[in-house]
Amino acid sequence: MTTRTGWEIGMALPARILVAEDEPDVGMLLQEILVSEGYDVQLVSSGDQLVRRAQEQPPDLIIVDLLMPSMDGLEAIRQLRNDTRTAHLPMLILTAIGESSRVVEGFETGADDYIVKPYDREVLLARVRSHLRRATQLPTRNPLTGLPGNAAIQAEIKRNLEQRTPFALMYVDLDNFKAFNDEYGFSRGDRAIHLLTSVLKEHVDPNDFLGHIGGDDFVILHFGNRPEELCERIIRAFDEQIRTLYDEADLQRGYLTAIDRYGIPRQFGIISLSIGVVTTHSRTFSDVDEMSRVAAELKHAAKQVAGSSFRIDRRSDKRAINALSDRRSGNSPDALIVCRNNIAQAAVVATLNVCGYRLLTADNEIAAQSLLASHPHPGLVVAEVVDSTSTTWWQQLNDSTLLIALASDEAASITARDAGADAVVQPGDNPLAISDQLQAAIAALHNDQNSAE
């Protein structure tokens, strides 16, 4: 009878086994047996080495001796079971004959099986194959959160599309997470992921499906008919709780300083949520790829607004086709709006929408820098100026970016022009007057650009 090796359990690469054994001869023999069967084996000699190695690069299976220096096998298993990166791994303990009480304690700690020393080669290999096979047959879970992973998410979306079940696909993503992770380290970054997981679990409906794609990307399949209310509950809870993970000095300042993907130092605000929502209530989708692509577009639109926000697509099939054709007809330039005044912001948004810009909106300078980290070269910036501190971030703009200042008085106008504004608009209480000034300024600047060319 032929035996299956590590190459034959459905993996593209040989299964990786991490062995912790402090007796060199025993460890080397165990490694030799497993390697001869096609497994990729790493050998460590203590419990603390086992924990560190497993956390750095989780293996497919762990074999651990109970009696080791520095940290014994029971404590190593306990720590690994309490770590979401390793909690799901099959763990086998090595024990001597007559240590039945230790075996029981091992099971209570979290071991899946045991092997008695001196062990029988075929029994050892049979148990290793059995646990590796069982691990590959379990539902795919994200190791950090324990939530269903990408394969399970796609299968669930596919099943509901085929059954024509009305549902909303919600794509949840963190904003400013990289800056947070870089500043505080991956351990606190993991805590932020766990916090979001906890918020989502608390607020999704009992019949909803919650999955973790990976990193800071989550998916909810919501089977109710009020996804807006669910988004609002999630955002409200998350915005309140995420502040507990920041140092007090950073909270008081309101931002972290970090390097963006383009190598530019920027100020990043508190982590926020962006949620894209697409539903099957008024629209049909041919497959999972199409629906997930639209959800990603909606999430991207939500990320163009600083702070936590969501965008819901309620287009019918016909409107969706027309919108797709409009998008493909040309690339709209980005326009960044930085304005605290609600009347002025509404007027600017309406005007730039008509002008065909793709809008990025922020209500303060810190939020604006967070948006620039993802969209570093907007074609136009319309920014409110109160004093000189309102213009310090302008130095990060590209030379080709047109800059229009919103200045409520003469002093602010002078400050704006001294800082490099190409034009100044004086906002008031009349949205139409603001719009007229803005359109005139844009037309004049474009004329100047054309003349220069």
Side-chain angles (χ1 to χ4, degrees):
M1 183 179 71
T2 58
T3 58
R4 295 173 63 192
T5 70
W7 292 93
E8 298 169 346
I9 61 171
M11 298 182 182
L13 296 173
R16 290 186 299 107
I17 300 176
L18 181 56
V19 177
E21 172 58 72
D22 67 315
E23 296 184 35
D25 292 343
V26 176
M28 293 296 292
L29 177 60
L30 187 56
Q31 184 179 36
E32 181 181 329
I33 292 172
L34 295 171
V35 169
S36 70
E37 291 297 306
Y39 298 111
D40 178 5
V41 181
Q42 292 183 316
L43 183 63
V44 298
S45 59
S46 66
D48 56 348
Q49 290 178 4
L50 171 68
V51 171
R52 287 200 303 271
R53 187 71 60 85
Q55 289 172 337
E56 291 169 358
Q57 189 177 18
D60 298 300
L61 181 139
I62 289 173
I63 300 176
V64 53
D65 187 24
L66 286 181
L67 298 177
M68 289 186 297
S70 301
M71 180 190 299
D72 66 21
L74 293 178
E75 179 58 27
I77 292 173
R78 185 179 294 109
Q79 291 192 19
L80 293 172
R81 286 295 183 217
N82 289 330
D83 189 321
T84 53
R85 291 168 290 185
T86 55
H88 63 293
L89 298 176
M91 301 183 194
L92 282 61
I93 54 177
L94 293 172
T95 181
I97 294 175
E99 294 183 341
S100 58
S101 61
R102 299 285 286 173
V103 172
V104 172
E105 191 176 356
F107 281 129
E108 291 176 345
T109 302
D112 296 292
D113 204 347
Y114 71 99
I115 300 169
V116 177
K117 297 188 292 185
Y119 46 81
D120 180 277
R121 173 191 173 97
E122 294 306 318
V123 171
L124 166 68
L125 293 174
R127 292 191 174 181
V128 167
R129 287 194 297 268
S130 174
H131 285 284
L132 285 172
R133 187 183 305 113
R134 186 176 296 118
T136 63
Q137 293 170 350
L138 292 174
T140 304
R141 298 260 166 185
N142 185 284
L144 180 60
T145 60
L147 293 174
N150 198 35
I153 292 169
Q154 293 190 46
E156 188 69 12
I157 297 172
K158 182 175 185 291
R159 183 176 69 83
N160 283 281
L161 286 176
E162 290 175 346
Q163 294 179 355
R164 299 187 180 278
T165 305
F167 70 98
L169 174 60
M170 304 171 61
Y171 191 173
V172 185
D173 186 22
L174 291 176
D175 309 317
N176 301 330
F177 178 66
K178 184 180 182 302
F180 179 92
N181 215 40
D182 290 346
E183 176 66 19
Y184 291 131
F186 71 87
S187 179
R188 203 182 302 191
D190 283 355
R191 288 169 60 191
I193 298 296
H194 285 300
L195 186 149
L196 175 55
T197 303
S198 176
V199 168
L200 295 177
K201 286 182 175 179
E202 180 182 356
H203 290 278
V204 297
D205 294 346
N207 295 326
D208 288 348
F209 173 90
L210 174 61
H212 184 184
I213 298 173
D216 56 344
D217 292 328
F218 291 76
V219 163
I220 301 168
L221 270 62
H222 174 60
F223 298 100
N225 57 5
R226 295 184 179 275
E228 306 99 323
E229 295 180 5
L230 177 56
C231 288
E232 290 168 354
R233 291 199 306 270
I234 290 170
I235 285 174
R236 188 162 50 247
F238 179 83
D239 284 351
E240 179 180 341
Q241 295 181 38
I242 190 61
R243 299 177 65 84
T244 63
L245 297 187
Y246 281 80
D247 291 348
E248 185 59 32
D250 295 329
L251 275 181
Q252 294 296 325
R253 189 169 55 246
Y255 63 86
L256 299 174
T257 300
I259 305 299
D260 71 9
R261 70 182 70 176
Y262 304 99
I264 300 174
R266 297 194 190 277
Q267 296 169 344
F268 293 84
I270 304 299
I271 290 178
S272 56
L273 288 183
S274 291
I275 308 176
V277 185
V278 58
T279 80
T280 62
H281 292 278
S282 58
R283 183 174 176 184
T284 57
F285 295 91
S286 60
D287 54 30
V288 176
D289 287 344
E290 182 188 10
M291 191 173 194
S292 60
R293 183 173 62 251
V294 175
E297 291 174 358
L298 269 292
K299 186 202 73 172
H300 180 73
K303 291 181 83 70
Q304 292 173 328
V305 178
S308 293
S309 64
F310 62 92
R311 289 291 181 270
I312 298 181
D313 181 16
R314 296 193 180 280
R315 294 172 294 184
S316 64
D317 291 330
K318 182 177 180 180
R319 288 175 59 200
I321 292 172
N322 291 339
L324 182 62
S325 299
D326 291 342
R327 282 198 307 273
R328 289 174 175 171
S329 63
N331 295 321
S332 300
D334 289 335
L336 173 61
I337 304 168
V338 188
C339 184
R340 297 174 179 81
N341 185 302
N342 291 334
I343 294 176
Q345 186 183 82
V348 173
V349 166
T351 303
L352 297 186
N353 264 324
V354 171
C355 294
Y357 285 96
R358 184 172 55 187
L359 305 185
L360 313 168
T361 59
D363 59 6
N364 60 66
E365 293 75 22
I366 303 302
Q369 293 192 64
S370 297
L371 291 174
L372 285 172
S374 301
H375 308 272
H377 305 304
L380 172 67
V381 170
V382 180
E384 185 179 25
V385 175
V386 178
D387 51 36
S388 58
T389 61
S390 306
T391 65
T392 54
W393 63 279
W394 290 7
Q395 299 172 4
Q396 299 175 349
L397 297 174
N398 190 280
D399 290 340
S400 62
T401 298
L402 297 177
L403 177 56
I404 300 177
L406 301 174
S408 58
D409 55 40
E410 186 60 28
S413 297
I414 294 173
T415 297
R417 292 195 182 279
D418 289 344
D422 297 299
V424 175
V425 168
Q426 294 184 337
D429 295 331
N430 187 337
L432 291 177
I434 298 173
S435 179
D436 289 343
Q437 291 184 70
L438 184 57
Q439 289 185 66
I442 292 172
L445 291 176
H446 284 164
N447 287 335
D448 291 342
Q449 278 187 332
N450 292 335
S451 299
E453 293 174 355

